[in-house]
Amino acid sequence: MAKDYSKPLYNSTIWKNIIRPAVLARCHYICEIEGCCDVATEVDHIIELTPDNINDPRIACDYRNLRGLCGRHHKEKTKAEQMKQRHPELEAIMFDEHGQAVLTSPGGGRF
Ligand SMILES: [Zn+2]
């Protein structure tokens, strides 16, 4: 579910008619997580949207920060984002070789 601050972006014509379909077409509607061949149904912000960066087009709308994900990987990413909110000391959300979303600590260790 989109957070309140991101709703204007996801409801915008440019997102719905241009950005989202372009990202899904770029990945041929296949999830972009390595080894996953499921249908991409979601467009994910690699650097996740926050109230601070939602108006930064380099984060919100740049194709380099967007990728197509299947429902399972999008759920994984969302779960990791929620954990990150509870543990702000953790840094990045990445996907490991098994397609599991992982958080890294500032030292580079896995959470
Ligand atoms: Zn996937």
Side-chain angles (χ1 to χ4, degrees), residues 67-111:
R67 64 183 166 186
L69 292 185
C70 68
R72 177 171 68 93
H73 279 121
H74 192 250
K75 238 184 246 166
E76 283 273 329
K77 170 89 186 282
T78 304
K79 242 183 356 191
E81 280 176 7
Q82 288 165 350
M83 187 183 284
K84 191 177 171 196
Q85 279 168 6
R86 291 195 297 271
H87 299 277
E89 73 279 12
L90 298 170
E91 282 187 329
I93 297 172
M94 298 163 61
F95 286 92
D96 68 10
E97 62 277 18
H98 308 293
Q100 297 287 110
V102 292
L103 296 160
T104 56
S105 63
R110 263 190 206 181
F111 179 70

Side-chain angles (χ1 to χ4, degrees), residues 4-5 10 24 27 38 41 59 66-67 70 82:
D4 282 347
Y5 60 81
Y10 293 134
L24 292 173
C27 68
D38 292 343
T41 54
I59 302 292
L66 296 167
R67 64 183 166 186
C70 68
Q82 288 165 350

